[in-house]
Structure formats: C-alpha cells, structure tokens
Amino acid sequence: MDTPKLTAAEKAKVALYVARMCKRDLAGPSVDQRDLQRKVDRVIEGAAKRAQQSK
C-alpha cells in the first residue's frame, strides 16, 4: 500500500502519535501501543480516502 500525501495537520497528528509511541516504548516492552497505532492508521486511511475522492 502506498502512503497517500498527507496534509500538514495529518503530518502533525502522526508525529504526535509516533512521539507518544516512543515515550511508551521507553517504559518497557510490555506497554501496549495498539491504540496509538490504530490512530495513526486512521489518519492514513482518511488521507487515502481523501486522495481517492479527489481523483
């Protein structure tokens, strides 16, 4: 799957979620990060949907 072009707001959201994931990773390997991964996936899916509609 190709990553769609993200807007500035979407890039900021993804960066925030990735930063939070890094912070949780420092807490240890047993910390669950699935909720943040779902949020990142949701942002990317929204961008893909927007790109598809603009075609």
Side-chain angles (χ1 to χ4, degrees):
M1 177 174 115
D2 292 333
T3 304
K5 188 162 176 84
L6 299 175
T7 64
E10 290 168 338
K11 287 179 186 178
K13 285 180 185 179
V14 170
L16 175 70
Y17 295 144
V18 170
R20 288 178 62 193
M21 291 167 92
C22 291
K23 187 175 176 182
R24 284 188 186 179
D25 191 51
L26 291 174
S30 63
V31 178
D32 188 26
Q33 296 189 17
R34 289 180 291 183
D35 61 327
L36 295 174
Q37 183 61 48
R38 280 193 304 266
K39 289 180 181 185
V40 170
D41 292 341
R42 198 174 311 134
V43 169
I44 293 172
E45 288 171 4
K49 188 175 181 181
R50 186 188 68 250
Q52 186 68 21
Q53 288 177 348
S54 68
K55 285 186 178 181

